[in-house]
Amino acid sequence: MSASKTSIARRLCQQVLIGNVALGGNSPVVVQSMTNTDTADAASTVKQIIELWQAGSEIVRITVNSPEAAAQVANIRQQLDAQGCPVPLVGDFHYNGHKLLSTYPDCAEALAKYRINPGNVGKGSKRDEQFSAMIETAIQYDKPVRIGVNWGSLDQEKMAKMMDENAISAHPLSSDALMREALIQSALESAKQAEDIGLAHNKITISCKVSDVQDLVLVYRDLAKRCDYPLHLGLTEAGMGSKGIVASTAALSLLLQEGIGDTIRVSLTPEPGESRTKEVVVAQEILQTMGIRSFTPLVTACPGCGRTTSTYFQELAQNIQRYLREQMPVWRKQYPGVESMSVAVMGCVVNGPGESKLANIGISLPGTGEVPVAPVFVDGEKTVTLKGDAIAEEFQAIVEKYVEHNYAEGGKLRSQTKIISIKSI
């Protein structure tokens, strides 16, 4: 795909600074994640934050739910700084956030942003008082706030009032439409309340998360029309494995294609023993496959057929993809632009040479019954034919040399970048 592809027109909104990261305005869509460690365990939390940051999470949210957790936040920030990890930290507060921010000023100061859920701030008369206390702390320490509404913790008093009003309306909404409207009103009314208290307009971001794809799309389309705050996208409780990935991709891609969304999180439930970084990789791949941002060369392979009874091309594609992603923390600093490099690993002669020529670097491995050689193409030109038992190592060496030659500072950069193009056989 050439660099002349149509770009997606982004929704115009305010810009909000989260530490050293900008949301909204003309800024790129930002990837973020959240730890699942006990924040009171500073060592484990620091370790996971660094893993998420190295994987590409540009903002990391941590749970601040207890005095023990709040007491460790400043220590966590200091350890991250000492290890060269500048990623902004967002504190996730529910129920007792007003007390924790007041009692632990070091926590309030160390965080780059506060996430406040209007449904979990307090009940009755305490709600406004406790919400105001958190906003006043944000103003005191010059911190932005995310008003994060979730349909699993929607303000029940507000919902009950809206249901009563809807019941006597001449044009009542369906139960689903009423729920969506309640989410939006909760977010916008809380944002207005925060501004009335004194929080600047450009210190607010909003999210309205649900776990149903169609509802999420409808909520954010409406929300985008009714405010100019940066919007945080995410399908809450997306689930595990392929279900969570597919559901998140479907919902986020529809909205991103319409220019809606300034920061995203893919809320996957990790499988036992699975790294938390998987959700970061999925978020990056959503943005990259849509042509919105580039993070790392993405390698896929043809699906295989009767011509490719060997699994060698699959293994090579997997190993090269792993190698490229592992190298990116270093390459990102040394070789600007390398994230847009295209790599093709093909399995037989049908589409192999043609697809390999379209990539920056491509290899066409022999299919069943073909001559056991693998031509390599660099920028459309056949440069070498590999054979024998060391094809994988030799191809990786070719990739390394290409990166060093073409993406080093002052080196020969390609005038036209391509997204990886590997079609089905």
Side-chain angles (χ1 to χ4, degrees):
M1 186 181 295
S2 70
S4 62
K5 67 179 184 294
T6 303
S7 60
I8 296 172
R10 295 275 302 282
R11 160 183 170 268
L12 296 178
C13 67
Q14 289 283 332
Q15 185 180 82
V16 175
L17 294 178
I18 316 298
N20 59 357
V21 175
L23 301 186
N26 294 319
S27 305
V29 178
V30 172
V31 172
Q32 61 178 281
S33 184
M34 184 177 184
T35 59
N36 60 359
T37 58
D38 181 355
T39 307
D41 182 350
S44 295
T45 302
V46 167
K47 181 176 182 291
Q48 189 173 81
I49 291 170
I50 291 175
E51 289 173 353
L52 292 168
W53 173 66
Q54 289 178 335
S57 184
E58 294 158 302
I59 297 174
V60 175
R61 182 157 48 111
I62 60 176
T63 298
V64 188
N65 62 333
S66 67
E68 294 77 15
Q72 289 299 322
V73 171
N75 177 32
I76 289 168
R77 179 71 271 167
Q78 291 170 1
Q79 290 191 43
L80 292 172
D81 291 341
Q83 296 185 53
C85 176
V87 67
L89 298 181
V90 177
D92 193 59
F93 294 99
H94 298 268
Y95 312 112
N96 59 355
H98 60 293
K99 292 182 179 179
L100 296 177
L101 286 170
S102 173
T103 306
Y104 296 90
D106 287 350
C107 167
E109 189 168 9
L111 292 168
K113 183 182 182 181
Y114 310 154
R115 186 275 176 129
I116 303 174
N117 184 339
N120 290 340
V121 172
K123 295 182 179 180
S125 60
K126 290 184 178 181
R127 191 269 180 199
D128 288 348
E129 177 185 342
Q130 293 172 184
F131 181 82
S132 295
M134 298 183 73
I135 296 301
E136 287 167 359
T137 302
I139 295 169
Q140 178 183 352
Y141 292 100
D142 194 29
K143 304 295 182 180
V145 167
R146 169 156 72 97
I147 305 296
V149 184
N150 191 300
W151 73 347
S153 54
L154 190 58
D155 186 334
Q156 292 304 301
E157 292 181 12
K158 179 172 184 58
M159 191 65 191
K161 180 180 178 181
M162 291 183 65
M163 289 175 66
D164 290 342
E165 293 172 349
N166 190 61
I168 60 175
S169 171
H171 304 285
L173 299 173
S174 68
S175 58
D176 287 344
L178 184 64
M179 181 276 297
R180 294 193 295 267
E181 180 62 21
L183 284 169
I184 294 170
Q185 284 193 24
S186 178
L188 295 180
E189 289 173 3
S190 296
K192 183 181 184 304
Q193 184 180 358
E195 289 195 52
D196 290 343
I197 295 167
L199 188 65
H201 188 77
N202 65 353
K203 291 289 186 180
I204 299 172
T205 62
I206 285 181
S207 65
C208 288
K209 291 188 176 183
V210 301
S211 55
D212 179 83
V213 171
Q214 296 296 344
D215 280 320
L216 189 81
V217 172
L218 292 172
V219 164
Y220 273 90
R221 281 176 176 167
D222 198 355
L223 185 61
K225 296 174 183 177
R226 292 162 66 173
C227 73
D228 67 346
Y229 300 114
L231 301 181
H232 169 101
L233 298 188
L235 188 76
T236 192
E237 291 94 37
M240 299 179 71
S242 60
K243 184 269 178 186
I245 293 172
V246 171
S248 292
T249 302
L252 271 58
S253 296
L254 285 169
L255 291 166
L256 291 166
Q257 185 66 27
E258 297 176 15
I260 299 171
D262 303 287
T263 177
I264 66 171
R265 184 200 172 194
V266 175
S267 300
L268 295 181
T269 303
E271 296 180 7
E274 186 177 46
S275 172
R276 187 68 161 180
T277 60
K278 184 173 182 178
E279 67 175 46
V280 178
V281 174
V282 173
Q284 289 181 330
E285 291 179 350
I286 289 172
L287 293 174
Q288 184 151 350
T289 54
M290 293 185 68
I292 294 173
R293 289 187 66 183
S294 294
F295 297 95
T296 186
L298 301 179
V299 181
T300 58
C302 52
C305 66
R307 294 176 178 272
T308 57
T309 52
S310 168
T311 61
Y312 189 79
F313 79 96
Q314 298 167 328
E315 295 162 1
L316 178 58
Q318 182 182 54
N319 291 337
I320 288 294
Q321 179 68 81
R322 183 185 303 114
Y323 165 74
L324 293 173
R325 186 165 286 281
E326 289 173 351
Q327 291 297 110
M328 279 308 296
V330 175
W331 282 0
R332 193 174 291 112
K333 297 177 182 178
Q334 296 182 351
Y335 306 115
V338 69
E339 63 274 5
S340 295
M341 180 178 68
S342 58
V343 178
V345 178
M346 299 301 294
C348 81
V349 73
V350 172
N351 286 332
E355 293 290 351
S356 296
K357 289 177 183 178
L358 292 174
N360 293 124
I361 309 172
I363 186 169
S364 180
L365 294 163
T368 305
E370 295 178 18
V371 177
V373 296
V376 174
F377 299 83
V378 176
D379 290 337
E381 300 294 331
K382 181 178 175 182
T383 59
V384 67
T385 298
L386 304 179
K387 56 185 176 180
D389 297 329
I391 289 177
E393 292 79 3
E394 291 174 6
F395 183 65
Q396 180 172 308
I398 292 171
V399 173
E400 291 174 352
K401 290 179 181 178
Y402 185 90
V403 170
E404 292 171 1
H405 176 71
N406 288 275
Y407 296 97
E409 291 283 5
K412 174 191 168 188
L413 293 176
R414 285 173 58 85
S415 60
Q416 190 178 47
T417 59
K418 297 190 286 265
I419 299 297
I420 295 158
S421 175
I422 306 175
K423 300 178 182 177
S424 303
I425 292 179

